[in-house]
């Protein structure tokens, strides 16, 4: 290893008195890096497995991400785990009934069923109401199947659907849909509050501060004439706003009290819901009562037939039919109004952290709640359609209370308590959803909403309350429900697409217990969600999708990457495998050829400890890509034994990967442990890459410091690397003057000069074109210099090269240099830092001294001429000729390319059996006085083509 070369190897410090003979493999560690106590290792009968982590409780808990406590009783030679503070008390876990089924049932049976469902039956008729319920129920049922599949594929943490979608489709999709779902829950809280206030004001009209009378004209025509008019009093908008804001503030104080208080109060809201539904069904079968309205006919076939068809009418903002109303209803509008009545299937998954068995409780509770409520809604369509006339269905906003047994008061109380309970659940779940998104630390802007373990999300709760109050101020229930519908449908579509993608990829980790051909059912469910969105409102759909897209774009730009093993990464992986198989190992056509540079990071010089690669080498790697297309492989070599240096190599690889990301280079990092640079590079050039994705260009720095630092091992390593590239059929690009290479912001002027000496498949031409695509070189012009042996060949060669460049769509000036002009003496000392003739004489002297010393050593030891462990053959005439050729080429380059931004010249291969020292002298003679040069050698393949 050269003394001045940068190396990742570091000396390992050992504690005094440590037993150095212990195999480090015997120090067991858990998967999260915590040491495992070596309990009873001396008594173990499985000594063969002593260095591995045996299966035990600690290991199993570490696999699931849980923190297992080590034994607190100290033993000889063991580390004692110390836990500060008291052990955390675990909250009681919930089962399927109370943890999933009841919350889903309570959220689904909400305000829509009580004060809007009879109106929907009257407006859409029985048959369209049946279609409406079946359509929405099928959507939620398919979503429930997808939810069950993902939930049964592994353990769930907090976050509900956000957690499922984010872990399946990636953090960007998860955050965008999760934030929209948070808004949907926050707006749903306002809807429930308005429903409770509206019910209260209808039950107690004197409690209102304002009164509003609405004249409704009956649209039932008798012989072409109107049947009459009815005056109906409805709650004032201002009353809804005042009471709604007050109730929202009170609920906010309850939520601030903590989840324990909410969990104690929430079950009390279920009893009024179930009891009120039972009272409604009793009232349906016992109607009409003595004080019933004339429109309540009781269950009647005639009424059923009259209400079978639809009767859409314009209404005012309160939903009362009015010929002069501004709101026009159809099936799509009813769909937007009714769909929130079937939402709530995520209530169980939102409580995943509190469930005993998520993989059983979520699918059983969710699907049973969905099926039960859908059947109840279908039955209610027939019962309400056969119970009252259409006029009664459309005008009596609380018909369910009017028919309930034993009286309306029970229904009023049930509606108010159930809606307030649902509002409380929404205002409780929405802040926790926002806190879960913030805790994942994807968006720094959400850091203020973080809630640490064991604490309440107070800031998120306050923000949710402001959103609820803003929606309550709107005061119109029918305007709020379409907004909720879009956000919930967006979430349902995300769940279905997550399941579809996971099932389509069918990765080995995809093993759900509830899998019923979800690749088809999930796609149908996702399509149904999108169709429902557009059926309800094109405007709301475009706005919601645009909002989700903006959040997605913002997260992509500003968010932090989360390695969750999402489905998209699996899709990329499978796509890469299929593409790699389709490429095969056949020769790539020049039209499809892309440079895949292998950046040899060993800089032939010293670098700071925290810089694993020369910065300008990373900048040059970006210059070899067109519009970011392509991939670079950054490699470095750690000197030493693999068993001893494996951990150092891993640390170096992490450091190099971080540096690549910092330099915005699209590439990967690889670290090889080897005894020497030559051995390590030989391994790299043989095994790196797969199929046609193997690196095809080796890029490294020219070792300018080898003579200054007296690094005698560099010539042999340098020659071995070039020979290995030639044998492995890899192109080579050597950068001379790397310290002076411009970065991406330094603009260059002048020319890019190509000294095209040997056929290289067009690689040198391609590199010059790639340089022109970069900001730093886009103002430069290309000059191509060709060497002609005779003056008579100059014009013919120039015409041929011009024609060739024209066919390649490349603009360049062609200059032909003859051998005669190269032999002619020219005064170039004024433009050179060093006199070439003096450099030539010095090189001759050094070569003669080196060869003389080599011969003396060989004669003294009685062996052939050897350089290291390689036998060489020295023909002094050829050495002189090669050195002189480099002198003439160098003087030509300095003469014509004194002001060039960069010079590209063909790389001469190392002469067979020549000493590596001589080759380095040749190369030094070639690059002297040229500040910035690319020495290029192509390989036996064309990288450009004339044909389209």
């Amino acid at each position: 290893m050269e003394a001045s070369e940068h190396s990742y190897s570091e000396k390992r410090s050992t504690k005094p008195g440590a037993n150095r003979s212990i195999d480090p493999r015997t120090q067991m560690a858990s998967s999260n890096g915590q040491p495992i106590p070596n309990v009873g290792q001396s008594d173990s009968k499985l000594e063969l497995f002593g260095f591995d982590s045996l299966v035990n409780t600690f290991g199993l808990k570490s696999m699931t991400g849980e923190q297992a406590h080590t034994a607190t009783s100290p033993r000889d030679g063991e580390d004692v785990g110390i836990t500060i503070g008291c052990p955390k008390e675990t909250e009681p876990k919930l089962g399927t009934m109370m943890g999933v089924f009841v919350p889903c049932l309570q959220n689904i049976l909400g305000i829509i069923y009580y004060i809007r469902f009879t109106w929907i039956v009257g407006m859409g008729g029985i048959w369209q109401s049946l279609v409406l319920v079946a359509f929405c129920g099928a959507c939620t049922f398919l979503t429930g199947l997808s939810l069950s599949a993902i939930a049964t594929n592994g353990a769930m943490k907090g976050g509900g659907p956000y957690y499922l979608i984010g872990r399946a489709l990636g953090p960007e999709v998860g955050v965008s849909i999760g934030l929209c779902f948070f808004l949907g829950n926050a707006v749903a809280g306002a809807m429930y509050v308005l429903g409770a206030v509206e019910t209260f004001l209808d039950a107690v009209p004197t409690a209102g501060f304002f009164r509003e009378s609405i004249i409704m004209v009956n649209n039932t025509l008798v012989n072409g004439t109107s049947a009459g008019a009815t005056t109906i009093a409805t709650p004032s908008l201002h009353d809804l706003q005042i009471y709604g804001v007050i109730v929202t503030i009170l609920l906010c104080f309850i939520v601030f009290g903590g989840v324990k208080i909410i969990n104690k109060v929430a079950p009390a809201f279920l009893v009024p819901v179930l009891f009120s539904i039972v009272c409604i069904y009793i009232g349906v079968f016992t109607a009409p009562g003595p004080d019933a309205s004339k429109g309540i006919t009781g269950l009647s076939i005639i009424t059923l037939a009259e209400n079978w068809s639809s009767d859409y009418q314009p209404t005012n903002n309160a939903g009362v039919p009015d010929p002069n109303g501004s709101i026009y209803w159809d099936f799509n509008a009813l769909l937007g109004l009714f769909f929130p009545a079937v939402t709530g299937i995520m209530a169980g998954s939102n409580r995943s952290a509190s469930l005993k068995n998520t993989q059983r409780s979520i699918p059983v509770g969710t699907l049973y709640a969905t099926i039960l409520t859908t059947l109840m809604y279908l039955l209610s369509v027939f019962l309400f359609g056969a119970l009252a006339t259409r006029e009664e269905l459309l005008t009596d906003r609380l018909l369910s209370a009017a028919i309930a047994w034993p009286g309306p008061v029970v229904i009023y109380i049930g509606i108010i308590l159930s809606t307030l309970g649902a509002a409380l659940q929404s205002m409780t779940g929405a802040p926790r959803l926002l806190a879960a998104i913030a805790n994942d630390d994807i968006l720094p802007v959400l850091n203020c909403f973080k809630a640490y373990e064991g604490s309440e999300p107070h800031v998120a709760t306050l923000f949710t309350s402001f959103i609820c109050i803003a929606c309550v101020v709107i005061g119109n229930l029918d305007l709020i429900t379409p907004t909720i519908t879009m956000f919930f449908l967006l979430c349902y579509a995300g769940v279905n697409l997550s399941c579809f993608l996971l099932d389509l990829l069918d990765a080995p980790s995809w093993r759900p217990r509830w899998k019923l051909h979800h690749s088809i059912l999930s796609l149908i469910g996702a399509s149904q969600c999108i169709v429902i969105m557009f059926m309800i409102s094109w405007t709301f759909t475009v706005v919601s999708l645009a909002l989700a897209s903006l959040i997605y774009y913002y997260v992509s730009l500003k968010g932090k990457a989360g390695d969750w093993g999402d489905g998209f990464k699996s899709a990329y992986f499978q796509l890469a495998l299929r593409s790699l198989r389709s490429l095969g190992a056949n020769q790539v056509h020049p039209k499809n050829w892309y440079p895949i540079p292998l950046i040899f990071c060993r800089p032939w010089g010293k670098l700071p400890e925290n810089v694993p690669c020369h910065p300008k080498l990373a900048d040059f790697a970006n210059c070899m890509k067109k519009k970011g297309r392509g991939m670079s492989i950054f490699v470095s070599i750690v000197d030493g034994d693999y068993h001893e240096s494996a951990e150092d190599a891993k640390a170096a690889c992490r450091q190099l990967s971080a540096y690549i990301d910092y330099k915005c280079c699209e590439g990967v990092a690889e670290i090889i442990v080897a005894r020497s640079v030559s051995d390590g590079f030989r391994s790299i050039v043989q095994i790196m890459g797969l199929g046609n994705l193997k690196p095809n260009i080796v890029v490294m720095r020219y070792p300018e410091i080898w003579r200054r630092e007296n690094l005698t091992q560099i010539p042999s390593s340098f020659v071995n690397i070039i020979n290995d590239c030639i044998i492995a059929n890899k192109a080579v690009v050597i950068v001379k003057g790397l310290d002076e290479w411009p970065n991406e912001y330094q603009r260059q002027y002048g020319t890019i000069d190509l000294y095209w000496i040997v056929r290289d498949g067009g690689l040198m031409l391609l590199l010059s074109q790639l340089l022109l695509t970069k900001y730093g070189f886009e103002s430069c012009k290309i000059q191509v210099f060709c060497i002609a042996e005779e003056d008579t060949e100059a014009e013919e060669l120039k015409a041929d090269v011009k024609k060739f460049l024209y066919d390649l769509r490349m603009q360049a000036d062609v200059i032909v240099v003859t051998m005669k002009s190269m032999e002619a003496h020219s005064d170039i000392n004024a433009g050179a830092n060093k006199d070439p003739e003096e450099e030539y004489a010095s090189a001759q002297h050094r070569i003669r001294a080196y060869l003389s010393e080599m011969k003396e050593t060989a004669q003294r030891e009685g062996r052939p001429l050897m350089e290291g462990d390689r036998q060489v053959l020295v023909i002094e005439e050829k050495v002189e000729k090669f050195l002189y050729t480099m002198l003439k080429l160098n003087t030509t380059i300095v003469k014509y390319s004194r002001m060039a931004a960069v010079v590209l010249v063909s790389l001469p291969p190392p002469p067979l059996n020549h000493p590596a020292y001589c080759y380095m002298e040749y190369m030094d003679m070639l690059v002297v006085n040229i500040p910035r040069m690319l020495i290029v050698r192509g390989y036996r393949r064309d990288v450009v083509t004339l044909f389209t």
Side-chain angles (χ1 to χ4, degrees):
M1 174 179 175
E2 295 84 351
S4 63
E5 290 179 3
H6 178 69
S7 175
Y8 291 111
S9 303
E10 297 179 358
K11 296 183 179 179
R12 299 181 179 180
S13 60
T14 57
K15 296 181 181 180
N19 186 1
R20 301 184 183 181
S21 63
I22 297 177
D23 191 342
R25 298 176 300 177
T26 61
Q27 299 176 357
M28 295 188 298
S30 65
S31 61
N32 58 6
Q34 299 296 328
I36 298 178
N38 193 5
V39 180
Q41 211 174 35
S42 59
D43 299 333
S44 174
K45 296 182 180 180
L46 297 174
E47 294 181 0
L48 178 62
F49 299 94
F51 58 86
D52 282 334
S53 298
L54 302 181
V55 177
N56 50 27
T57 303
F58 189 98
L60 294 177
K61 288 186 176 181
S62 66
M63 288 172 61
T64 60
E66 300 179 16
Q67 295 294 331
H69 299 284
T70 58
T72 56
S73 59
R75 297 172 182 259
D76 294 337
E78 291 182 358
D79 295 331
V80 180
I82 300 176
T83 303
I84 300 177
C86 300
K88 183 180 177 181
E89 296 182 1
T90 58
E91 297 181 356
K93 297 294 184 177
L94 301 175
T96 302
M97 178 61 69
M98 296 303 299
V100 180
F101 181 77
V102 170
C104 289
L105 196 67
Q106 185 176 4
N107 280 268
I108 294 174
L109 297 177
I111 186 65
I112 300 296
Y113 179 77
Y114 289 106
I115 67 175
R116 283 293 183 267
F117 194 63
T118 56
W119 185 90
I120 291 174
V121 174
M123 186 68 74
I126 294 176
W127 80 269
Q128 289 199 14
S129 298
L130 291 174
V131 174
L132 180 68
V133 173
F135 191 51
C136 295
C139 178
T140 55
F141 181 75
L142 293 177
T143 305
L145 287 178
S146 299
L147 175 68
S148 301
I150 303 177
T152 57
N153 190 50
M156 281 183 58
K157 295 182 180 180
Y162 156 73
Y163 179 84
L164 297 178
I165 297 173
R167 268 58 179 180
L169 300 182
E172 296 85 0
V173 180
V175 171
S176 58
I177 295 181
L179 288 178
C180 291
F181 190 61
F182 157 75
L183 291 176
N185 278 276
V187 176
M191 182 191 73
Y192 292 129
V193 168
L194 287 176
V197 172
E198 184 177 343
T199 304
F200 171 73
L201 293 176
D202 282 337
V204 188
T206 56
F209 299 102
F210 304 93
R211 298 288 296 174
E212 182 178 356
S213 297
I214 300 177
I215 304 297
M216 188 202 73
V217 178
N218 193 345
N219 60 352
T220 303
L221 300 179
V222 180
N223 297 326
T225 60
S226 176
T230 305
T231 302
I232 299 177
T234 60
S236 170
L237 176 63
H238 303 297
D239 287 333
L240 292 174
Q241 293 170 338
I242 293 173
Y243 279 102
V245 172
I246 294 174
V247 171
T248 304
I249 294 175
L250 293 176
L251 292 176
C252 180
F253 280 113
I254 297 176
V255 173
F256 266 97
V259 70
K260 292 184 178 179
I261 297 177
I262 297 171
N263 288 337
K264 292 179 181 179
V265 175
F269 292 112
L270 179 64
V271 176
V273 174
L274 298 179
F275 183 71
S276 61
I277 292 175
V278 172
C279 292
I280 290 174
Y281 280 114
I282 294 175
V284 168
F285 288 100
T286 60
D291 298 329
S293 172
K294 294 181 180 180
I296 301 177
T297 62
L299 297 178
S300 171
I301 298 297
I302 298 175
T303 306
L304 181 69
E306 292 176 352
N307 293 331
W308 183 259
S309 60
S310 62
D311 188 9
Y312 295 105
Q313 303 178 35
T315 65
N316 56 22
N317 291 335
V320 178
D322 185 353
N324 299 320
S326 59
I327 301 178
Y328 296 90
W329 293 90
D330 55 11
F331 183 82
N332 295 345
L334 286 185
L335 184 62
L337 178 62
F338 173 73
F339 192 84
V342 298
T343 59
I345 60 174
M346 300 294 178
S349 63
N350 289 337
R351 303 186 180 196
S352 57
S354 301
L355 299 177
K356 292 180 182 178
N357 187 351
T358 57
Q359 299 190 22
R360 181 182 182 279
S361 298
I362 289 179
V364 173
T366 303
L367 294 178
Y368 274 105
T370 303
I371 295 173
L372 180 62
T373 52
T374 301
L375 293 177
M376 192 201 74
Y377 278 124
L378 292 173
L379 177 61
S380 299
V381 170
F382 285 103
L383 295 179
F384 291 150
L387 178 67
T389 62
R390 191 182 301 274
E391 179 183 353
E392 188 71 21
L393 293 173
L394 293 175
T395 56
D396 193 345
R397 299 168 59 84
L398 284 171
L399 180 60
S400 59
I403 63 173
W405 177 89
V409 178
V410 177
I411 302 302
Y412 290 145
I413 296 175
I415 294 175
I416 293 173
L417 292 180
S418 64
T419 50
L420 289 179
L424 187 63
Q425 293 293 340
S426 296
M427 295 183 65
T428 303
R432 280 155 179 77
L433 177 61
L434 182 60
I437 299 174
N439 287 340
D440 277 340
D441 203 21
I442 300 298
L443 279 181
V445 73
L446 299 178
N447 287 343
C448 59
F449 299 117
K450 284 185 177 180
Y452 298 99
E453 186 177 359
S455 63
E456 295 292 329
H458 295 305
V459 178
T461 301
L462 189 62
F463 182 68
T464 305
S465 301
F466 279 119
I467 296 177
C468 290
I469 291 175
C471 295
V472 165
V473 171
I474 298 176
N476 192 337
L477 191 66
D478 297 334
L479 293 179
I480 293 177
T481 49
T483 307
I484 302 171
T485 302
M486 293 303 165
F487 291 139
F488 276 87
L489 280 169
L490 194 61
C491 178
Y492 295 168
V495 172
N496 283 296
L497 288 176
S498 300
C499 184
F500 171 73
L501 179 63
L502 293 175
D503 193 68
L504 185 65
L505 297 174
D506 199 18
S509 61
W510 176 246
R511 300 185 302 274
R513 290 185 170 88
W514 286 65
K515 182 178 179 182
L516 303 174
H517 302 290
H518 280 90
S519 58
I520 302 299
L521 297 181
S522 299
L523 183 60
I524 295 174
S527 304
Q528 193 175 9
C529 292
I530 301 298
V531 169
I532 292 176
M533 292 177 68
F534 281 100
M535 287 179 64
I536 293 173
S537 172
W538 281 83
T539 304
F540 279 104
T541 301
V542 172
V543 170
S544 60
L545 292 177
L547 177 62
S549 301
L550 287 176
I551 298 175
Y552 179 91
Y553 183 70
Y554 181 78
V555 175
S556 301
L557 292 179
K558 303 294 184 180
K560 300 178 182 178
D563 188 10
W564 295 340
D566 55 85
F568 280 130
K569 288 185 174 61
S570 179
Y572 297 152
F573 181 76
Q574 291 198 20
L575 182 61
L577 291 180
R578 293 183 180 180
S579 301
L580 185 60
R581 289 197 300 267
S582 64
L583 284 176
N586 298 326
Q587 181 173 339
V588 178
H589 194 276
K591 289 190 294 184
N592 302 326
W593 189 88
Y594 282 89
I596 305 178
L598 178 72
I599 311 298
F600 192 31
C601 296
R602 199 174 191 88
W604 307 113
K606 291 184 178 180
L607 285 177
E609 290 296 328
N610 60 342
V611 181
C613 178
H614 197 291
K616 297 301 181 64
L617 203 57
D619 293 335
F620 179 74
N622 285 331
C623 290
M624 300 185 69
K625 301 174 185 177
K626 184 177 181 180
K627 298 181 180 179
R629 299 188 183 99
M631 180 184 69
S632 301
I633 302 177
F634 291 78
V635 298
S636 189
I637 298 173
V638 173
D639 298 326
D641 181 74
Y642 177 70
H643 291 174
E644 298 177 356
S645 305
E647 293 301 323
D648 295 337
K650 293 177 182 178
C653 188
R654 289 191 295 267
Q655 184 185 21
L656 183 56
S657 297
Y659 190 77
I660 292 172
D661 294 337
Y662 167 74
K663 294 294 292 183
C664 299
C665 298
E666 293 186 1
V668 296
E670 293 289 345
I671 302 294
I672 298 295
V673 180
R675 298 287 184 182
S676 65
V677 175
S678 299
D679 293 341
F681 185 84
R682 188 166 295 121
S683 300
I684 290 171
V685 82
Q686 291 184 77
I687 65 174
M688 190 67 67
L690 292 172
N692 275 321
L693 289 184
K694 290 182 178 180
N696 46 34
I697 301 178
V698 175
V699 180
M700 60 182 172
R701 181 185 186 181
Y702 183 79
E704 302 171 49
I705 64 171
W706 75 278
R707 183 183 297 112
R708 183 175 68 247
E709 300 289 342
N710 195 25
L711 302 178
T712 58
Q713 294 182 0
I714 284 185
S716 61
S717 299
F718 186 71
V719 170
N720 288 336
I721 289 174
I722 295 177
N723 286 328
D724 290 342
C725 292
I726 295 174
I727 294 173
N729 197 24
K730 307 289 184 185
V732 182
V733 176
I734 302 173
V735 186
K736 192 266 178 182
L738 189 62
D739 294 332
E740 290 78 28
W741 190 265
N743 60 33
E744 56 181 337
Y745 304 109
Q746 293 176 331
R747 198 173 186 88
Q748 302 296 306
Y749 298 94
T751 59
I752 300 175
D753 291 353
L754 280 63
Y755 285 82
W756 197 12
I757 300 175
V758 298
R759 183 179 183 274
D760 59 358
L763 179 60
M764 191 182 298
L765 296 173
L766 183 62
L767 288 177
S768 64
Q769 294 298 316
L770 291 176
L771 289 176
L772 287 181
T773 62
K774 304 303 174 183
Y775 171 79
F777 293 95
E778 63 182 3
S779 299
C780 298
K781 293 176 58 179
I782 296 179
Q783 293 186 140
V784 178
F785 291 84
C786 300
I787 308 298
E789 294 186 2
E790 301 292 339
D791 294 344
T792 56
E793 299 177 356
E795 293 301 324
E796 183 180 356
L797 178 61
K798 183 175 183 179
D800 290 341
V801 173
K802 280 188 174 182
K803 177 64 168 57
F804 180 74
L805 295 177
Y806 176 81
D807 292 338
L808 289 176
R809 294 91 61 201
M810 295 182 182
Q811 295 182 354
D813 296 332
V814 179
I815 301 173
V816 178
V817 180
T818 62
M819 298 293 293
K820 184 177 180 180
S821 63
M822 291 181 62
E823 293 291 338
H825 177 75
S826 57
D827 186 12
I828 60 171
N829 294 336
N833 296 326
K834 300 178 181 179
D835 186 356
E837 298 293 343
E838 292 182 1
E839 291 295 319
Y840 174 71
S842 298
Q844 280 183 317
H845 176 71
R846 288 191 297 268
I847 291 176
R848 288 169 183 168
Y850 181 81
L851 295 179
S852 176
E853 181 182 355
M854 181 184 295
K855 292 178 181 178
E856 290 178 1
T857 303
Q859 291 177 357
R860 183 173 60 252
E861 297 179 358
R863 57 176 175 80
L865 291 179
M866 300 290 292
E867 187 182 48
D869 57 352
R870 185 172 68 97
Q871 183 176 352
V872 297
L873 177 65
V874 177
I875 302 177
E876 296 186 5
E877 292 79 6
K878 284 198 173 184
V879 172
E880 293 284 345
K881 180 180 179 181
F882 291 156
L883 188 63
Y884 182 76
T885 302
M886 291 302 178
L887 168 66
K888 291 305 177 183
L889 183 57
N890 175 262
T891 55
T892 303
I893 295 174
V894 174
K895 176 181 178 181
Y896 290 102
S897 304
R898 186 179 306 170
M899 303 301 295
V902 61
V903 175
L904 284 77
V905 65
S906 299
L907 171 68
L912 189 63
N913 296 329
H914 273 225
Y917 180 88
C918 296
Y919 183 73
M920 287 303 302
E921 290 287 355
Y922 305 156
M923 296 301 299
D924 278 358
M925 193 69 248
L926 174 64
V927 302
V928 68
N929 292 323
I930 304 173
R932 196 181 298 153
M933 174 183 281
L934 299 181
I935 311 172
V936 182
R937 177 174 178 82
Y939 61 140
R940 295 182 296 273
R941 292 182 183 178
D942 291 334
V943 298
V944 294
T945 179
L946 304 176
F947 304 100
T948 182

